[in-house]
Amino acid sequence: GESVGLHLPTLSVQEGDNSIINCAYSNSASDYFIWYKQESGKGPQFIIDIRSNMDKRQGQRVTVLLNKTVKHLSLQIAATQPGDSAVYFCAGVDNNNDMRFGAGTRLTVKP
Amino acid sequence: EAGVAQSPRYKIIEKRQSVAFWCNPISGHATLYWYQQILGQGPKLLIQFQNNGVVDDSQLPKDRFSAERLKGVDSTLKIQPAKLEDSAVYLCASSLGTGDTQYFGPGTRLTVL
């Protein structure tokens, strides 16, 4: 199965700076990966996903990078805003369509 | 488009009591999931339905947890009897089909005293 984890439990950045949240995975057969944002008292919210045949995918202010060689993906948030403060989860989906979440990184944006 | 609805939002019970949670998925979504999220951890899948059939319940503690989706739309998750370690947020999610993007509800925060 998939084992997904995050490098850091917390990340603090200054408003306006770029944020990078990292994630490592163990199952090289994972079909794709998803980043979720979870604000306090809410369910996880889909941010962006990436298929295993891609290296990079961009959204609005967010970019996900996938390095299959070292089984690592990252979420980059440009010009981080106070509203970006939340816990960010990476999740891996294996070839059985089973999704496994990592423990999460809490992003705090300082004004 | 309405999102996934869950109720109640909060529930406090004593150990050995029973509790039930309700979920209404996004209209047209065939796949429904229940997750358990313990404080400080990522969500863990308990059970997955495809329409009214169970696809995966390998992580569901079947001696005390049960879930149903009789008409293939709404679903209920029940815990009977509850233990202290069941204190968590119970999240419901739905997707168009298996492997599609999952959309989560706000969750039910359960506290077992």
Side-chain angles (χ1 to χ4, degrees):
Chain A
E2 177 66 74
S3 175
V4 184
L6 294 173
H7 289 299
L8 293 174
T10 62
L11 176 65
S12 182
V13 300
Q14 204 70 36
E15 181 178 358
D17 287 351
N18 296 334
S19 303
I20 299 176
I21 302 172
N22 296 304
C23 183
Y25 64 96
S26 61
N27 187 354
S28 56
S30 293
D31 190 44
Y32 81 115
F33 303 87
I34 309 164
W35 281 100
Y36 283 91
K37 171 186 180 183
Q38 187 173 26
E39 297 174 276
S40 181
K42 298 183 179 179
Q45 176 188 3
F46 173 87
I47 302 174
I48 192 169
D49 62 2
I50 186 167
R51 296 278 168 183
S52 58
N53 61 353
M54 302 171 67
D55 298 321
K56 179 180 179 179
R57 190 166 188 212
Q58 287 185 290
Q60 187 177 12
R61 285 201 304 117
V62 295
T63 301
V64 56
L65 299 177
L66 176 62
N67 185 330
K68 294 180 284 293
T69 302
V70 295
K71 298 181 183 176
H72 177 274
L73 70 158
S74 65
L75 177 70
Q76 301 179 4
I77 304 173
T80 313
Q81 303 168 1
D84 295 326
S85 292
V87 177
Y88 289 81
F89 293 98
C90 64
V93 181
D94 64 22
N95 46 18
N96 291 321
N97 288 321
D98 290 333
M99 186 164 73
R100 297 286 184 265
F101 284 82
T105 291
R106 179 173 298 280
L107 174 66
T108 301
V109 182
K110 296 178 290 186
Chain B
E1 177 182 89
V4 176
Q6 290 187 248
S7 67
R9 291 296 316 277
Y10 305 92
K11 190 73 177 179
I12 301 174
I13 61 173
E14 294 188 348
K15 60 182 179 183
R16 291 188 289 274
Q17 285 188 323
S18 301
V19 64
F21 313 126
W22 174 82
C23 173
N24 181 228
I26 293 173
S27 178
H29 281 196
T31 311
L32 185 147
Y33 313 78
W34 283 102
Y35 288 85
Q36 179 192 60
Q37 186 176 24
I38 293 173
L39 185 65
Q41 299 181 16
K44 183 187 81 172
L45 179 69
L46 292 175
I47 189 168
Q48 176 184 341
F49 291 94
Q50 180 71 16
N51 296 309
N52 62 351
V54 175
V55 173
D56 181 0
D57 63 355
S58 57
Q59 300 296 309
L60 188 73
K62 301 181 185 62
D63 57 333
R64 298 184 300 106
F65 286 64
S66 64
E68 59 184 18
R69 194 185 184 200
L70 294 177
K71 296 183 179 180
V73 180
D74 293 6
S75 176
T76 56
L77 175 69
K78 296 179 182 178
I79 307 175
Q80 180 180 13
K83 292 185 175 182
L84 296 176
E85 58 262 35
D86 297 332
S87 294
V89 174
Y90 290 84
L91 294 162
C92 179
S94 71
S95 62
L96 278 172
T98 302
D100 291 322
T101 301
Q102 296 183 29
Y103 296 90
F104 285 81
T108 297
R109 180 176 295 279
L110 173 68
T111 302
V112 182
L113 302 176

Coordinates of all heavy atoms in Angstrom, one line a residue, chain B residues 17-96:
Chain B
Q17 N -21.9 4.4 25.1 CA -23.1 4.9 24.4 C -23.0 4.7 22.9 O -21.9 4.3 22.4 CB -23.4 6.3 24.7 CG -23.9 6.6 26.1 CD -24.3 8.0 26.4 OE1 -23.7 9.0 25.9 NE2 -25.3 8.2 27.1
S18 N -24.1 4.8 22.2 CA -24.2 4.7 20.8 C -24.3 6.1 20.1 O -24.8 7.0 20.8 CB -25.4 3.8 20.4 OG -25.3 2.6 20.9
V19 N -23.8 6.2 18.9 CA -23.9 7.5 18.2 C -24.1 7.2 16.7 O -23.6 6.1 16.2 CB -22.7 8.4 18.5 CG1 -21.4 7.7 17.9 CG2 -22.9 9.8 17.9
A20 N -24.7 8.1 16.0 CA -24.9 7.9 14.5 C -24.6 9.2 13.8 O -25.0 10.3 14.3 CB -26.3 7.4 14.2
F21 N -24.0 9.2 12.7 CA -23.7 10.3 11.9 C -24.3 10.2 10.5 O -24.4 9.1 10.0 CB -22.1 10.5 11.7 CG -21.3 10.3 12.9 CD1 -20.3 9.4 13.0 CD2 -21.6 11.1 14.0 CE1 -19.5 9.3 14.1 CE2 -20.8 10.9 15.2 CZ -19.8 10.0 15.2
W22 N -24.7 11.3 10.0 CA -25.4 11.3 8.7 C -24.6 12.1 7.6 O -24.0 13.1 8.0 CB -26.8 11.9 8.9 CG -27.6 12.1 7.6 CD1 -28.3 11.2 6.9 CD2 -27.7 13.3 6.9 NE1 -28.9 11.7 5.8 CE2 -28.5 13.0 5.8 CE3 -27.2 14.6 7.1 CZ2 -28.9 14.0 4.9 CZ3 -27.6 15.6 6.2 CH2 -28.4 15.3 5.1
C23 N -24.7 11.6 6.4 CA -24.0 12.3 5.3 C -24.9 12.3 4.1 O -25.5 11.3 3.7 CB -22.7 11.6 5.0 SG -21.9 12.2 3.5
N24 N -24.9 13.5 3.4 CA -25.6 13.6 2.2 C -24.6 14.0 1.1 O -24.1 15.2 1.2 CB -26.8 14.6 2.3 CG -27.5 14.8 1.0 OD1 -27.7 15.9 0.5 ND2 -27.9 13.7 0.3
P25 N -24.2 13.2 0.2 CA -23.2 13.5 -0.8 C -23.6 14.5 -1.8 O -24.8 14.9 -1.9 CB -22.9 12.2 -1.4 CG -24.2 11.5 -1.4 CD -24.8 11.9 -0.1
I26 N -22.7 15.0 -2.6 CA -23.0 15.8 -3.7 C -23.9 15.1 -4.7 O -23.6 13.9 -5.0 CB -21.7 16.3 -4.4 CG1 -20.9 17.3 -3.5 CG2 -22.0 17.0 -5.7 CD1 -19.6 17.7 -4.0
S27 N -24.9 15.7 -5.2 CA -25.9 15.1 -6.1 C -25.2 14.5 -7.3 O -24.3 15.1 -8.0 CB -26.9 16.1 -6.6 OG -27.8 15.6 -7.5
G28 N -25.5 13.2 -7.6 CA -24.9 12.6 -8.8 C -23.6 11.8 -8.5 O -23.1 11.1 -9.3
H29 N -23.1 12.0 -7.3 CA -21.8 11.3 -6.9 C -22.1 9.9 -6.5 O -22.9 9.6 -5.5 CB -21.1 12.0 -5.8 CG -20.3 13.2 -6.3 ND1 -19.3 13.8 -5.5 CD2 -20.3 13.9 -7.5 CE1 -18.8 14.8 -6.2 NE2 -19.4 14.9 -7.4
A30 N -21.6 8.9 -7.2 CA -21.9 7.5 -7.0 C -21.0 6.9 -5.8 O -21.5 6.0 -5.2 CB -21.6 6.7 -8.2
T31 N -19.9 7.5 -5.6 CA -19.0 7.0 -4.6 C -19.0 7.8 -3.3 O -18.9 9.1 -3.4 CB -17.5 6.9 -5.1 OG1 -17.6 6.3 -6.4 CG2 -16.6 6.1 -4.2
L32 N -19.1 7.2 -2.2 CA -19.1 7.9 -0.9 C -18.2 7.2 0.1 O -18.0 6.0 0.1 CB -20.6 7.8 -0.3 CG -20.9 8.5 1.0 CD1 -22.3 9.1 1.0 CD2 -20.6 7.7 2.2
Y33 N -17.5 8.0 0.8 CA -16.4 7.6 1.7 C -16.7 8.1 3.1 O -17.2 9.3 3.3 CB -15.1 8.1 1.3 CG -14.7 8.0 -0.2 CD1 -15.3 8.9 -1.1 CD2 -13.8 7.0 -0.6 CE1 -14.9 8.7 -2.4 CE2 -13.5 6.9 -2.0 CZ -14.1 7.8 -2.9 OH -13.7 7.7 -4.2
W34 N -16.3 7.3 4.1 CA -16.3 7.8 5.5 C -14.8 7.7 6.0 O -14.2 6.6 5.8 CB -17.1 6.9 6.4 CG -18.6 7.2 6.4 CD1 -19.6 6.5 5.7 CD2 -19.3 8.3 7.0 NE1 -20.8 7.1 5.9 CE2 -20.7 8.2 6.7 CE3 -18.9 9.4 7.8 CZ2 -21.6 9.1 7.2 CZ3 -19.9 10.2 8.3 CH2 -21.2 10.1 8.0
Y35 N -14.3 8.8 6.6 CA -13.0 8.8 7.1 C -13.0 9.1 8.6 O -13.9 9.9 9.1 CB -12.2 9.9 6.4 CG -11.7 9.6 5.0 CD1 -12.6 9.9 3.9 CD2 -10.5 9.1 4.7 CE1 -12.2 9.7 2.6 CE2 -10.1 8.9 3.4 CZ -10.9 9.2 2.4 OH -10.5 8.9 1.1
Q36 N -12.0 8.7 9.3 CA -11.8 9.1 10.7 C -10.5 9.9 10.8 O -9.5 9.5 10.2 CB -11.7 7.8 11.6 CG -11.4 8.2 13.1 CD -11.0 6.9 13.9 OE1 -10.0 6.3 13.6 NE2 -11.8 6.6 14.9
Q37 N -10.6 11.1 11.4 CA -9.5 11.9 11.5 C -9.2 12.2 13.0 O -9.9 13.0 13.6 CB -9.6 13.2 10.7 CG -8.4 14.1 10.7 CD -8.5 15.3 9.9 OE1 -9.5 15.8 9.6 NE2 -7.3 15.8 9.4
I38 N -8.2 11.6 13.5 CA -7.8 11.8 14.9 C -6.9 13.1 14.9 O -6.2 13.4 14.0 CB -7.0 10.6 15.4 CG1 -8.0 9.4 15.5 CG2 -6.4 10.9 16.8 CD1 -7.3 8.1 15.9
L39 N -7.0 13.8 16.0 CA -6.4 15.1 16.1 C -4.9 15.0 15.8 O -4.2 14.2 16.3 CB -6.6 15.7 17.5 CG -6.0 17.1 17.8 CD1 -6.8 18.1 17.0 CD2 -6.1 17.4 19.3
G40 N -4.4 15.9 14.9 CA -3.0 15.9 14.5 C -2.6 14.9 13.5 O -1.5 14.8 13.1
Q41 N -3.6 14.2 12.9 CA -3.3 13.1 11.9 C -4.1 13.4 10.6 O -5.1 14.2 10.6 CB -3.6 11.7 12.4 CG -2.8 11.3 13.7 CD -3.2 9.9 14.1 OE1 -3.8 9.1 13.4 NE2 -2.8 9.6 15.4
G42 N -3.7 12.7 9.6 CA -4.5 12.8 8.3 C -5.7 11.9 8.4 O -5.8 11.0 9.3
P43 N -6.7 12.1 7.6 CA -7.8 11.3 7.6 C -7.5 9.8 7.2 O -6.6 9.6 6.4 CB -8.7 11.9 6.5 CG -8.2 13.3 6.3 CD -6.8 13.2 6.6
K44 N -8.2 8.9 7.8 CA -8.0 7.5 7.6 C -9.3 6.9 7.1 O -10.4 7.1 7.7 CB -7.6 6.7 8.8 CG -7.3 5.3 8.6 CD -7.0 4.5 9.9 CE -8.3 4.2 10.6 NZ -8.1 3.3 11.8
L45 N -9.3 6.2 5.9 CA -10.5 5.7 5.3 C -11.1 4.6 6.2 O -10.4 3.6 6.6 CB -10.2 5.1 3.9 CG -11.4 4.5 3.2 CD1 -12.4 5.6 2.8 CD2 -10.9 3.7 2.0
L46 N -12.4 4.7 6.5 CA -13.1 3.6 7.2 C -13.8 2.7 6.2 O -13.8 1.5 6.3 CB -14.1 4.2 8.2 CG -13.5 5.0 9.4 CD1 -14.6 5.6 10.2 CD2 -12.7 4.1 10.2
I47 N -14.6 3.3 5.3 CA -15.4 2.6 4.4 C -15.7 3.4 3.1 O -15.8 4.6 3.2 CB -16.7 2.1 5.1 CG1 -17.5 1.1 4.2 CG2 -17.6 3.3 5.4 CD1 -18.7 0.4 5.0
Q48 N -15.8 2.6 2.0 CA -16.1 3.3 0.7 C -17.3 2.5 0.1 O -17.3 1.3 0.1 CB -14.9 3.2 -0.2 CG -15.2 3.7 -1.6 CD -13.9 3.5 -2.5 OE1 -12.8 3.3 -2.0 NE2 -14.2 3.5 -3.8
F49 N -18.3 3.3 -0.3 CA -19.5 2.8 -1.0 C -19.4 3.2 -2.5 O -19.0 4.3 -2.9 CB -20.7 3.4 -0.5 CG -21.1 2.9 0.9 CD1 -20.7 3.7 2.0 CD2 -21.8 1.8 1.1 CE1 -21.0 3.3 3.3 CE2 -22.2 1.4 2.4 CZ -21.8 2.1 3.5
Q50 N -19.9 2.3 -3.4 CA -20.1 2.6 -4.8 C -21.6 2.4 -4.9 O -22.1 1.2 -4.8 CB -19.3 1.7 -5.7 CG -19.5 2.0 -7.2 CD -19.0 3.3 -7.6 OE1 -18.1 3.9 -7.0 NE2 -19.4 3.7 -8.8
N51 N -22.4 3.4 -5.1 CA -23.8 3.4 -5.0 C -24.2 2.8 -3.7 O -23.8 3.3 -2.7 CB -24.4 2.6 -6.2 CG -24.1 3.3 -7.5 OD1 -24.4 4.5 -7.7 ND2 -23.5 2.6 -8.5
N52 N -25.0 1.7 -3.6 CA -25.4 1.2 -2.3 C -24.5 0.0 -1.9 O -24.9 -0.7 -0.9 CB -26.9 0.8 -2.3 CG -27.2 -0.2 -3.3 OD1 -26.4 -0.6 -4.1 ND2 -28.4 -0.8 -3.3
G53 N -23.5 -0.3 -2.6 CA -22.6 -1.4 -2.3 C -21.3 -1.0 -1.7 O -20.8 0.0 -2.0
V54 N -20.8 -1.9 -0.8 CA -19.5 -1.6 -0.1 C -18.4 -2.0 -1.0 O -18.3 -3.2 -1.5 CB -19.4 -2.4 1.2 CG1 -18.0 -2.2 1.9 CG2 -20.5 -1.9 2.2
V55 N -17.4 -1.1 -1.3 CA -16.3 -1.4 -2.1 C -15.1 -1.8 -1.2 O -14.3 -2.7 -1.5 CB -15.9 -0.2 -2.9 CG1 -14.6 -0.4 -3.7 CG2 -17.0 0.2 -3.9
D56 N -14.9 -1.1 -0.1 CA -13.8 -1.3 0.8 C -14.2 -1.0 2.2 O -14.5 0.2 2.5 CB -12.6 -0.5 0.4 CG -11.3 -0.7 1.2 OD1 -11.4 -1.5 2.1 OD2 -10.3 0.0 0.9
D57 N -14.1 -2.0 3.1 CA -14.4 -1.7 4.5 C -13.3 -2.4 5.4 O -13.5 -2.7 6.5 CB -15.8 -2.2 4.9 CG -16.0 -3.7 4.8 OD1 -15.1 -4.3 4.3 OD2 -17.1 -4.1 5.2
S58 N -12.1 -2.5 4.8 CA -11.1 -3.3 5.4 C -10.5 -2.6 6.7 O -10.0 -3.2 7.6 CB -9.9 -3.5 4.5 OG -9.4 -2.2 4.0
Q59 N -10.7 -1.2 6.8 CA -10.2 -0.5 7.9 C -11.3 -0.2 8.9 O -11.1 0.5 9.9 CB -9.6 0.8 7.5 CG -8.4 0.6 6.6 CD -7.2 0.0 7.3 OE1 -6.8 0.3 8.4 NE2 -6.7 -1.1 6.7
L60 N -12.5 -0.7 8.7 CA -13.7 -0.4 9.6 C -13.7 -1.4 10.8 O -13.7 -2.7 10.5 CB -15.0 -0.6 8.8 CG -16.2 -0.1 9.5 CD1 -16.3 1.4 9.7 CD2 -17.5 -0.6 8.8
P61 N -13.6 -0.9 12.0 CA -13.7 -1.9 13.2 C -15.1 -2.4 13.3 O -16.0 -1.9 13.9 CB -13.3 -1.0 14.3 CG -12.8 0.3 13.8 CD -13.4 0.4 12.4
K62 N -15.3 -3.5 12.7 CA -16.7 -4.0 12.5 C -17.4 -4.5 13.7 O -18.6 -4.8 13.7 CB -16.7 -5.1 11.4 CG -16.2 -4.7 10.0 CD -16.2 -5.8 9.0 CE -15.6 -5.4 7.7 NZ -14.1 -5.0 7.9
D63 N -16.6 -4.7 14.8 CA -17.2 -5.1 16.0 C -18.0 -4.0 16.7 O -19.0 -4.2 17.5 CB -16.2 -5.6 17.0 CG -15.1 -4.5 17.3 OD1 -14.9 -3.7 16.5 OD2 -14.5 -4.6 18.4
R64 N -17.7 -2.7 16.3 CA -18.5 -1.6 16.9 C -18.9 -0.6 15.9 O -19.8 0.2 16.2 CB -17.6 -0.9 17.9 CG -17.2 -1.8 19.1 CD -16.4 -1.0 20.1 NE -15.1 -0.5 19.5 CZ -15.0 0.8 19.3 NH1 -15.9 1.7 19.5 NH2 -13.8 1.3 18.8
F65 N -18.4 -0.6 14.7 CA -18.7 0.4 13.6 C -19.6 -0.3 12.6 O -19.3 -1.4 12.2 CB -17.5 1.0 13.0 CG -16.7 2.0 13.8 CD1 -16.1 1.6 15.0 CD2 -16.6 3.3 13.4 CE1 -15.4 2.5 15.8 CE2 -15.9 4.2 14.2 CZ -15.3 3.8 15.3
S66 N -20.6 0.5 12.1 CA -21.3 0.0 11.0 C -21.7 1.2 10.1 O -21.8 2.3 10.6 CB -22.6 -0.8 11.4 OG -23.5 0.1 12.1
A67 N -22.0 0.9 8.8 CA -22.4 2.0 7.9 C -23.3 1.4 6.9 O -23.2 0.2 6.5 CB -21.1 2.6 7.3
E68 N -24.2 2.3 6.4 CA -25.0 1.8 5.3 C -25.4 3.0 4.4 O -25.3 4.1 4.8 CB -26.3 1.2 5.9 CG -27.1 2.2 6.8 CD -28.4 1.5 7.4 OE1 -28.4 0.3 7.4 OE2 -29.3 2.2 7.9
R69 N -25.7 2.6 3.2 CA -26.1 3.6 2.2 C -27.2 2.9 1.3 O -27.0 2.5 0.2 CB -24.9 3.9 1.3 CG -25.2 5.2 0.4 CD -24.0 5.4 -0.5 NE -24.2 6.6 -1.3 CZ -23.5 6.9 -2.4 NH1 -22.6 6.1 -2.9 NH2 -23.8 8.1 -3.0
L70 N -28.3 2.7 2.0 CA -29.4 1.8 1.5 C -29.9 2.1 0.1 O -30.1 1.3 -0.7 CB -30.5 1.7 2.5 CG -30.2 1.0 3.9 CD1 -31.3 1.1 4.8 CD2 -29.7 -0.4 3.7
K71 N -30.1 3.4 -0.1 CA -30.7 3.8 -1.4 C -29.6 4.4 -2.3 O -30.0 5.0 -3.4 CB -31.8 4.8 -1.2 CG -33.0 4.2 -0.4 CD -34.1 5.2 -0.3 CE -35.3 4.6 0.5 NZ -36.4 5.5 0.7
G72 N -28.4 4.3 -2.0 CA -27.3 4.8 -2.8 C -27.1 6.3 -2.8 O -26.4 6.8 -3.7
V73 N -27.7 7.0 -1.8 CA -27.5 8.4 -1.8 C -27.0 8.8 -0.4 O -25.8 8.8 -0.2 CB -28.9 9.2 -2.1 CG1 -28.7 10.7 -2.0 CG2 -29.4 8.8 -3.4
D74 N -27.9 9.0 0.6 CA -27.4 9.3 1.9 C -26.8 8.1 2.6 O -27.0 7.0 2.2 CB -28.6 9.8 2.8 CG -29.2 11.1 2.4 OD1 -28.8 11.6 1.3 OD2 -30.1 11.6 3.0
S75 N -26.0 8.4 3.6 CA -25.3 7.3 4.3 C -25.3 7.7 5.8 O -25.3 8.8 6.2 CB -23.9 7.2 3.8 OG -23.2 6.2 4.6
T76 N -25.3 6.6 6.6 CA -25.2 6.8 8.1 C -24.0 5.9 8.5 O -23.8 4.8 8.0 CB -26.4 6.4 8.8 OG1 -26.8 5.1 8.5 CG2 -27.6 7.4 8.5
L77 N -23.3 6.4 9.5 CA -22.2 5.7 10.2 C -22.6 5.6 11.6 O -22.9 6.6 12.2 CB -20.9 6.5 10.0 CG -19.7 5.9 10.7 CD1 -19.2 4.6 10.1 CD2 -18.5 6.9 10.7
K78 N -22.5 4.4 12.2 CA -22.9 4.2 13.6 C -21.7 3.6 14.4 O -21.0 2.8 13.8 CB -24.1 3.3 13.7 CG -25.4 3.9 13.0 CD -26.5 2.9 13.1 CE -27.8 3.5 12.5 NZ -28.9 2.5 12.5
I79 N -21.6 4.0 15.6 CA -20.7 3.4 16.5 C -21.5 2.9 17.7 O -22.2 3.7 18.4 CB -19.6 4.5 17.0 CG1 -19.0 5.1 15.8 CG2 -18.6 3.8 17.8 CD1 -18.0 6.3 16.2
Q80 N -21.3 1.7 18.0 CA -22.0 1.1 19.2 C -21.3 -0.2 19.7 O -21.2 -1.2 19.0 CB -23.4 0.7 18.7 CG -24.3 0.0 19.7 CD -25.7 -0.4 19.2 OE1 -25.9 -0.4 18.0 NE2 -26.6 -0.7 20.1
P81 N -20.7 -0.1 20.9 CA -20.7 1.0 21.8 C -19.4 1.8 21.6 O -18.4 1.3 21.1 CB -20.6 0.3 23.2 CG -19.8 -0.9 22.9 CD -20.2 -1.3 21.5
A82 N -19.4 3.1 21.9 CA -18.3 4.0 21.7 C -17.2 3.8 22.8 O -17.5 3.4 23.9 CB -18.7 5.4 21.7
K83 N -16.0 3.9 22.3 CA -14.8 3.9 23.2 C -14.1 5.3 23.3 O -14.3 6.1 22.3 CB -13.8 2.8 22.8 CG -14.3 1.4 22.9 CD -13.2 0.4 22.6 CE -13.6 -1.0 22.8 NZ -12.5 -2.0 22.5
L84 N -13.3 5.5 24.3 CA -12.6 6.8 24.4 C -11.8 7.1 23.1 O -11.8 8.2 22.7 CB -11.7 6.8 25.6 CG -12.4 6.7 27.0 CD1 -11.4 6.6 28.1 CD2 -13.4 7.8 27.2
E85 N -11.2 6.0 22.6 CA -10.3 6.3 21.4 C -11.1 6.6 20.1 O -10.4 6.8 19.1 CB -9.4 5.0 21.2 CG -10.1 3.7 21.0 CD -10.2 2.9 22.3 OE1 -10.3 3.5 23.4 OE2 -10.2 1.7 22.2
D86 N -12.4 6.5 20.2 CA -13.2 6.9 19.0 C -13.3 8.4 18.9 O -13.9 8.9 17.9 CB -14.6 6.3 19.1 CG -14.5 4.7 19.1 OD1 -13.6 4.2 18.5 OD2 -15.4 4.1 19.7
S87 N -12.9 9.1 19.9 CA -12.9 10.6 19.8 C -12.1 11.1 18.6 O -10.9 10.8 18.5 CB -12.3 11.2 21.0 OG -13.2 11.0 22.2
A88 N -12.8 11.7 17.7 CA -12.1 12.1 16.4 C -13.1 12.9 15.6 O -14.3 13.1 16.0 CB -11.7 10.9 15.6
V89 N -12.7 13.4 14.5 CA -13.6 14.0 13.5 C -13.9 13.0 12.4 O -13.0 12.3 11.9 CB -13.0 15.3 12.8 CG1 -13.9 15.8 11.7 CG2 -12.7 16.4 13.8
Y90 N -15.2 12.8 12.2 CA -15.6 11.8 11.2 C -16.0 12.6 9.9 O -17.0 13.4 9.9 CB -16.8 10.9 11.7 CG -16.2 10.0 12.8 CD1 -16.1 10.5 14.1 CD2 -15.7 8.8 12.4 CE1 -15.5 9.6 15.1 CE2 -15.1 7.9 13.4 CZ -15.0 8.4 14.7 OH -14.5 7.6 15.7
L91 N -15.3 12.3 8.9 CA -15.5 13.1 7.6 C -16.2 12.2 6.6 O -15.8 11.0 6.4 CB -14.1 13.5 7.0 CG -13.3 14.5 7.8 CD1 -11.9 14.5 7.4 CD2 -13.9 15.9 7.6
C92 N -17.1 12.8 5.9 CA -17.7 12.1 4.7 C -17.2 12.8 3.5 O -17.1 14.0 3.4 CB -19.2 12.2 4.8 SG -20.1 11.4 3.5
A93 N -16.9 12.0 2.4 CA -16.5 12.6 1.2 C -17.3 11.9 0.1 O -17.8 10.7 0.2 CB -15.0 12.4 1.0
S94 N -17.4 12.5 -1.1 CA -18.0 11.9 -2.2 C -17.3 12.2 -3.5 O -16.5 13.2 -3.6 CB -19.5 12.2 -2.4 OG -19.7 13.6 -2.8
S95 N -17.4 11.3 -4.5 CA -16.8 11.6 -5.8 C -17.7 11.0 -6.9 O -18.6 10.2 -6.6 CB -15.4 10.9 -5.9 OG -15.5 9.5 -5.7
L96 N -17.5 11.5 -8.1 CA -18.3 11.0 -9.2 C -18.2 9.5 -9.3 O -19.2 8.8 -9.5 CB -17.9 11.7 -10.5 CG -18.4 13.1 -10.8 CD1 -17.7 13.7 -12.0 CD2 -19.9 13.0 -11.0

